[in-house]
């Protein structure tokens, strides 16, 4: 048997059968045997309509049983699942359908109008299947199948397939700094990096492909609430990791803080998979308002988005017994490191020691300079983070970008992650932010994530995005798009004074654009493209340069 995602799930289905819940969405509660049968039905529906090994199947669904079962069904066929960002529309949606070479598309009915417009005339896209979600989005695109009817007629039995560890898994980037790109992973390498096929701390591979399915036999299943979208690796890979080892995954199609807390209480959730501040802040507000009992939860695990020290501190004040895990990585690098925060880190001040999170170096992380030369272990310079070990083969249909990102450094192939960092002793790296989001202001390098973290720590700021704005004297200064908290009066002078407690003067935004709601990607990653459009569309609501031109203080 191969180190292949479909095989790994089938090992778990064989181990747990009808005795253990695998997935829960509202009233749908599927055991491992049930989920295996549902995935087999999806595989039969697709195979009977010409989808086979190597074919690309676009998945345009919100979180839920249908979404995870479809992923598994596609993988069982040795086909390639294509994750579709459900917030895309128009030209960006059409681009992804076309660029990904999808021959089949499965979508929730609420997206039918966007699908009909974006898929029209795409010759490769021959099969459309609509999944009912209770919405009334209007007519389906011409020729689209109804998933309920197709699945009802499909076989629940497994079809043998000669799967391979080399089978392709395409991971699509979020498009935060440009158009989305497909990252080509061997399934074994992706499993080793992101789905439990190797120890996250040491990189040591697990002993065999049955290790995970054996690991959950000795006790009750862990109960996960996966709030990150399954169309993002930060939601999908924790789901696979849980399912391979006998856990139970709970899903909500929409993120609403009240619904999340209700699910935690009613299902006694133990592990919550979140996207940093964007999800935790509204949860915190609801926890304070209601005093809801979240004592079943022992871990918050975050990925894909900033989880600032101030928000971690608020969570730990409410729940001092919690463990907070902060996972770092990317579509290109896979797992990059794991930060841990507890009440002890809050009490001893280490939680706020640096704005950037610390990650263990392990054997695979290193810093290099602008010329790809490794920095000495005792260096205090800021460098680029590169990673060795399990990694993709490159970008889909982009040889030039592949050569830029996957480089030979110090005798081994490394992933150039695009993140900046600084050594913190021999064992850890302080992550400072994405190199693509650095503001160069008169020679000073300012990391957007540091400013965003400081902004969101100020009372009255609900959310914020920092980015560079043109400046006559310094080339660029820091600007910010902000969302005030409900009921806040919007005092810019008070905001600037509060920022001086944590930021150097040149890092404090000089101009602010106020919006009703900060827009983010489904994964809760910052949408810098959207923020740039806000800046281009209108003048700032506040610009302190009009009062003190050229000041750096």
């Amino acid at each position: 048997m191969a180190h292949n995602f479909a095989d790994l799930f089938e090992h778990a289905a064989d181990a747990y059968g009808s005795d253990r819940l695998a997935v829960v969405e509202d009233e749908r509660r599927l055991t491992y045997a049930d989920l295996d049968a549902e995935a087999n039905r999806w595989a039969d529906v697709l195979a009977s309509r010409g989808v086979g090994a190597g074919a690309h199947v676009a998945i345009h669904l919100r979180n839920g049983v249908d979404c995870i079962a479809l992923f598994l069904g596609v993988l069982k066929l040795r086909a390639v699942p294509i994750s579709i960002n459900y917030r895309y529309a128009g030209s960006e949606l059409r681009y992804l359908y076309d660029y990904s070479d999808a021959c089949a598309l499965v979508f929730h009915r609420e997206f039918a109008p966007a699908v009909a417009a974006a898929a029209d005339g795409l010759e490769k896209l021959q099969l459309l299947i609509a999944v009912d979600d209770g919405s009334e989005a209007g007519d389906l695109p011409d020729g689209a199948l109804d998933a309920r009817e197709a699945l009802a007629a499909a076989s629940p039995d497994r079809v043998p397939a000669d799967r391979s560890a080399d089978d392709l898994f395409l991971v699509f980037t979020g498009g935060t700094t440009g158009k989305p790109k497909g990252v080509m992973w061997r399934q074994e390498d992706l499993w080793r990096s992101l789905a439990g096929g190797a120890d996250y701390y040491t990189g040591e591979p697990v002993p065999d492909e049955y290790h995970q399915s054996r690991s959950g036999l000795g006790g009750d299943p862990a109960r996960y609430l996966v709030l990150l979208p399954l169309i993002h690796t930060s939601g999908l890979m924790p789901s696979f990791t849980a399912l391979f080892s006998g856990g139970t995954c709970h899903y909500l199609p929409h993120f609403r803080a009240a619904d999340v807390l209700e699910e935690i209480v009613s299902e006694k959730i133990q592990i919550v998979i979140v996207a940093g501040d964007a999800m935790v802040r509204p949860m915190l507000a609801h926890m304070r308002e209601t005093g809801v009992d979240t004592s079943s939860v022992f871990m918050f695990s975050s990925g894909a988005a900033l989880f600032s020290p101030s928000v971690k501190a608020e969570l730990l004040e409410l729940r001092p017994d919690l463990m907070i895990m902060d996972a770092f990585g990317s579509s290109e690098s896979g797992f990059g490191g794991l930060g841990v925060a507890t009440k002890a880190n809050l009490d001893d001040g280490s939680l706020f020691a640096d704005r950037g999170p610390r990650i263990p170096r392990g054997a695979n992380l290193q810093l290099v300079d602008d010329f790809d030369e490794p920095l000495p272990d005792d260096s205090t310079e800021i460098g680029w983070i590169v990673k060795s070990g399990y990694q993709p083969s490159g970008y889909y249909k982009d040889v030039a970008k592949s050569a830029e990102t996957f480089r030979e450094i110090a005798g081994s192939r490394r992933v150039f992650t695009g993140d900046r960092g600084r050594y913190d002793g021999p064992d850890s790296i302080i992550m400072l932010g994405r190199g693509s989001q650095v503001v160069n202001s008169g020679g000073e390098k300012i990391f957007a994530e540091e400013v965003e973290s400081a902004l969101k720590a100020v009372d009255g700021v609900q959310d914020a995005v920092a980015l560079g704005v043109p400046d006559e004297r310094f080339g660029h200064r820091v600007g910010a798009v902000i969302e005030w908290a409900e009921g806040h009066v919007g005092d810019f002078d008070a905001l600037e004074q509060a920022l001086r407690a944590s930021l150097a003067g040149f890092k404090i935004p000089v101009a602010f654009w106020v919006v009703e709601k900060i827009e983010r990607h489904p994964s809760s990653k910052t949408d810098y493209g959207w923020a740039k459009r806000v800046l281009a569309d209108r003048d700032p609501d506040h610009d302190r340069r009009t009062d003190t031109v050229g000041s750096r203080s």
Side-chain angles (χ1 to χ4, degrees), residues 41-72:
R41 291 187 186 95
W42 273 112
D44 187 48
V45 167
L46 294 169
S48 66
R49 289 160 177 84
V51 176
H56 293 191
V57 179
I59 298 176
H60 194 154
L61 300 173
R62 292 187 183 274
N63 278 15
V65 170
D66 288 312
C67 189
I68 192 68
L70 175 58
F71 266 104
L72 290 166

Side-chain angles (χ1 to χ4, degrees), residues 310-390:
S310 60
V311 178
K312 290 178 183 176
E314 290 180 54
L315 184 56
L316 290 169
E317 290 286 8
L318 274 180
R319 285 291 315 279
D321 56 330
L322 273 181
M323 176 182 292
I324 298 174
M325 309 294 283
D326 217 350
F328 304 96
S330 68
S331 305
E332 294 87 347
S333 65
F335 178 73
L338 199 62
V340 181
T342 64
K343 184 64 160 55
N345 303 124
L346 178 62
D347 292 340
D348 66 16
S350 61
L351 190 62
F352 289 93
D354 286 279
R355 285 274 163 207
R358 286 177 172 81
I359 55 174
R361 282 185 63 183
N364 296 326
L365 292 180
Q366 190 176 27
L367 295 178
V368 300
D369 63 19
D370 291 340
F371 304 98
D372 288 354
E373 291 295 327
L375 294 179
D377 288 350
D378 59 355
S379 173
T380 59
E381 292 182 44
I382 293 173
W384 297 97
I385 300 176
V386 296
K387 179 178 178 288
S388 58
Y390 304 109

Side-chain angles (χ1 to χ4, degrees), residues 479-496:
V481 182
I482 61 171
E483 174 191 334
W484 293 119
E486 186 176 353
H488 190 73
V489 296
D491 188 332
F492 291 105
D493 290 336
L495 173 59
E496 290 164 13

Side-chain angles (χ1 to χ4, degrees), residues 220-232:
D220 294 331
R223 295 179 295 279
Y224 298 77
L225 178 54
V226 182
L227 299 176
L228 274 155
L230 288 170
I231 52 94
H232 191 280

Side-chain angles (χ1 to χ4, degrees), residues 176-177 434-441 446-453 455 463-471 475-482 503 506-515 518-519 526-538 540 545:
T176 53
T177 57
R434 297 289 294 175
S436 58
Q437 301 304 328
V438 172
V439 180
N440 189 331
S441 181
I446 305 161
F447 292 92
E449 290 183 2
E450 179 187 11
V451 179
E452 290 164 4
S453 179
L455 281 164
D463 203 355
V465 179
L467 65 173
V469 296
D471 185 83
H476 284 85
R477 301 285 291 274
V478 179
V481 182
I482 61 171
L503 292 178
F506 64 86
K507 297 180 181 180
I508 296 174
V510 295
F512 295 89
W513 285 256
V514 178
V515 295
I518 295 286
E519 296 214 5
T526 303
D527 189 341
Y528 288 103
W530 168 83
K532 289 175 182 177
R533 292 193 292 275
V534 171
L535 269 60
D537 287 345
R538 60 180 173 88
R545 291 173 297 183

Side-chain angles (χ1 to χ4, degrees), residues 182-311:
V183 183
M184 300 184 295
W185 283 86
R186 290 178 67 249
Q187 287 199 27
E188 179 173 6
D189 289 337
L190 186 61
W191 170 56
R192 297 287 192 194
S193 181
L194 280 173
D199 185 278
Y200 287 131
Y201 291 98
T202 66
E204 184 71 23
V206 298
D208 59 64
E209 64 191 278
Y210 297 93
H211 173 80
Q212 287 169 284
S213 58
R214 287 195 305 263
S215 66
L217 289 171
D220 294 331
R223 295 179 295 279
Y224 298 77
L225 178 54
V226 182
L227 299 176
L228 274 155
L230 288 170
I231 52 94
H232 191 280
T233 51
S234 294
L236 184 62
M237 292 303 147
S239 295
F240 281 143
T241 304
L243 291 172
F244 294 163
S245 55
T248 301
C249 292
H250 294 247
Y251 299 108
L252 299 172
H254 301 270
F255 174 83
R256 301 183 184 95
D259 294 343
V260 170
L261 273 299
E262 181 181 339
E263 187 79 4
I264 287 173
V265 173
S266 63
E267 300 290 345
K268 293 183 169 49
I269 298 296
Q270 296 169 308
I271 301 167
V272 186
I273 310 295
V274 298
D277 294 1
M279 289 183 172
V280 175
R281 290 183 74 132
M283 291 172 64
L284 277 167
H286 193 77
M287 289 163 70
R288 291 193 194 94
E289 289 170 7
T290 63
V292 62
D293 180 10
T294 62
S295 58
S296 64
V297 179
F298 68 85
M299 181 188 296
F300 271 62
S301 178
S302 177
L306 176 68
F307 200 172
S308 58
S310 60
V311 178

Side-chain angles (χ1 to χ4, degrees), residues 20 46 54 75 145 152 179 240 243 273 387 390-391 408 411 417 425 448 464 470 491 509 539:
R20 184 174 294 189
L46 294 169
L75 293 166
L145 302 178
K179 289 184 177 180
F240 281 143
L243 291 172
I273 310 295
K387 179 178 178 288
Y390 304 109
Q391 56 190 262
E408 189 80 11
T417 68
D491 188 332
D539 292 333

